[in-house]
Amino acid sequence: MKYFLHTEHWARVQEALGHRVHRLSGEGWEFLAIEDSNPAGKLLYLPYGPLADSLRSFDKAIEAAKELARSCGAVFLRCEPVNAGLPQEGYAPLLEARGLRRAPSNQQPELSWIVDLDGTEQEILAGMKSTNRNLHRNIHKKGVSFRKSTDPQDISILLGFLRATAARNGFTAQSDDYLSTVAEVLLPAGAGALFIAELDGEPIAAAFSYDSEDTRVYAHAALDDTHRKLSAGIPLVVALILDAKESGLAHVDLWGVAPEGKPDHQWAGFTAFKKSFGGRGVSYPGTWDLPVDKPRYFAYTGLRMARGYARQGLAWARTVPGKAQELLGAARGKLRG
């Protein structure tokens, strides 16, 4: 798989958003690095990188990234070695031996869901749940049609649905400015597409995808809740997948999913939806930090940890009155007995 986050198109998106971007490579390794900042100061972020064909190449890439981080005044570099010559399991000790430590949270999903497109269209559909196939074949009977757009102006359709969904469900969506910038860079270049479901000519759902050389990423989607019973979101994703096949791509990355056996995970609902299209899971090592300015980095992580403990303590303190009542009630019960 060719990761979209390594492409020149993604570099241009980051530059349009005001970030400085670097691309470095050597024998058996390469990475794209983005200058960013957080409360610790400047950081150098390598999305899904560095790529390396062996551990030896990975070491060379990390040394190059460290030198780059020092030269631009970064406190630490943050990386995601999805393809770095690491074993599928037991990679943590190898990374820790090189001075890396797990980041407080993952920047990109540690688990993703991939639909491979090497079969025929009928074979791809056969891998989906029957509900998905039936909706794909029959949704047009309800007046719903689908179209693909590379017009940046059409991002306004998705933005409207995202704002309404965020307000209804109480979460924060990506900003309009961010997604508008992404659309303005990617869509005219053919590095992304909007898929729009329409009912009698009126948009009722939209999905925004990003394309690398061989992989389409299902990035953002939302629908008009008024027409939720039509389930147009399902055949919309089918259209996105089949168009990827027709366009000569090899994979569709439906992005983050929840771990197995965790029905209460915040992504559990999305996970069931994504898995209904067939495919396979893929796991990555996650996000790791490498301190460059160690005093500043460890001061930052120490402060984060202290704040976390303070929040836990406050939460516990709020339960104390209730706990005291429980203990008092238990003691009274024993006395009566």
Side-chain angles (χ1 to χ4, degrees):
M1 284 177 56
K2 303 294 185 181
Y3 299 103
F4 179 78
L5 297 176
H6 295 161
T7 64
E8 186 61 33
H9 296 297
W10 190 243
R12 291 174 185 169
V13 166
Q14 293 301 315
E15 289 169 343
L17 292 169
H19 298 292
R20 188 178 180 190
V21 178
H22 309 267
R23 299 199 73 141
L24 273 72
S25 62
E27 186 177 352
W29 62 268
E30 64 176 289
F31 63 76
L32 181 151
I34 303 163
E35 292 187 26
D36 205 346
S37 62
N38 76 354
K42 182 179 285 189
L43 66 94
L44 192 67
Y45 174 45
L46 283 58
Y48 277 0
L51 298 180
D53 61 11
S54 66
L55 271 175
R56 183 180 178 185
S57 297
F58 175 71
D59 288 340
K60 291 180 179 180
I62 287 295
E63 284 303 313
K66 284 169 64 177
E67 287 303 315
L68 176 60
R70 290 189 185 101
S71 71
C72 67
V75 175
F76 65 101
L77 66 89
R78 178 160 283 172
C79 64
E80 294 162 335
V82 297
N83 184 2
L86 296 168
Q88 186 68 26
E89 297 180 359
Y91 52 79
L94 294 172
L95 294 174
E96 290 165 355
R98 288 159 171 79
L100 287 104
R101 48 190 288 133
R102 285 196 180 275
S105 60
N106 287 321
Q107 295 285 108
Q108 309 299 334
E110 194 168 351
L111 300 171
S112 200
W113 195 257
I114 310 297
V115 177
D116 297 312
L117 305 177
D118 47 351
T120 65
E121 178 177 316
Q122 291 307 311
E123 288 170 336
I124 293 168
L125 288 169
M128 301 181 186
K129 283 192 173 182
S130 59
T131 301
N132 297 26
R133 293 195 299 272
N134 291 335
L135 280 167
H136 163 69
R137 290 166 179 156
N138 298 314
I139 192 76
H140 67 280
K141 298 176 182 178
K142 300 178 181 179
V144 178
S145 59
F146 303 91
R147 66 182 177 93
K148 177 182 178 182
S149 172
T150 55
D151 181 354
Q153 296 300 314
D154 280 341
I155 194 67
S156 62
I157 297 170
L158 176 61
L159 295 179
F161 294 148
L162 284 171
R163 283 195 299 269
T165 302
R168 186 170 59 250
N169 296 329
F171 69 88
T172 302
Q174 292 277 16
S175 73
D176 287 8
D177 287 345
Y178 173 84
L179 286 177
S180 294
T181 299
V182 175
E184 287 165 5
V185 174
L186 297 186
L187 294 181
L194 278 163
F195 292 85
I196 302 165
E198 297 178 331
L199 176 62
D200 299 327
E202 291 297 319
I204 60 171
F208 190 6
S209 67
Y210 306 162
D211 290 354
S212 72
E213 182 181 328
D214 68 356
T215 302
R216 170 164 293 166
V217 177
Y218 174 65
H220 311 276
L223 51 79
D224 181 351
D225 193 60
T226 305
H227 302 289
R228 177 174 292 275
K229 290 184 178 180
L230 288 172
S231 299
I234 291 174
L236 180 66
V237 176
V238 177
L240 178 152
I241 291 171
L242 296 182
D243 179 83
K245 169 70 176 177
E246 186 177 341
S247 300
L249 300 176
H251 317 278
V252 172
D253 187 346
L254 294 178
W255 215 235
V257 292
E260 290 287 344
K262 292 193 176 181
D264 296 329
H265 192 280
Q266 61 179 339
W267 290 353
F270 297 131
T271 299
F273 174 76
K274 292 175 181 181
K275 289 185 176 182
S276 71
F277 296 96
R280 58 185 172 89
V282 60
S283 62
Y284 301 125
T287 306
W288 292 74
D289 290 349
L290 183 62
V292 177
D293 183 339
K294 292 184 179 180
R296 288 183 64 183
Y297 178 81
F298 287 113
Y300 154 69
T301 55
L303 182 59
R304 278 184 59 95
M305 189 176 297
R307 286 175 176 168
Y309 287 143
R311 283 193 294 268
Q312 290 176 16
L314 181 60
W316 178 84
R318 286 171 176 162
T319 69
V320 167
K323 295 294 183 186
Q325 291 296 327
E326 289 176 17
L327 292 170
L328 182 58
R332 285 173 176 165
K334 288 181 179 178
L335 288 171
R336 292 191 190 103

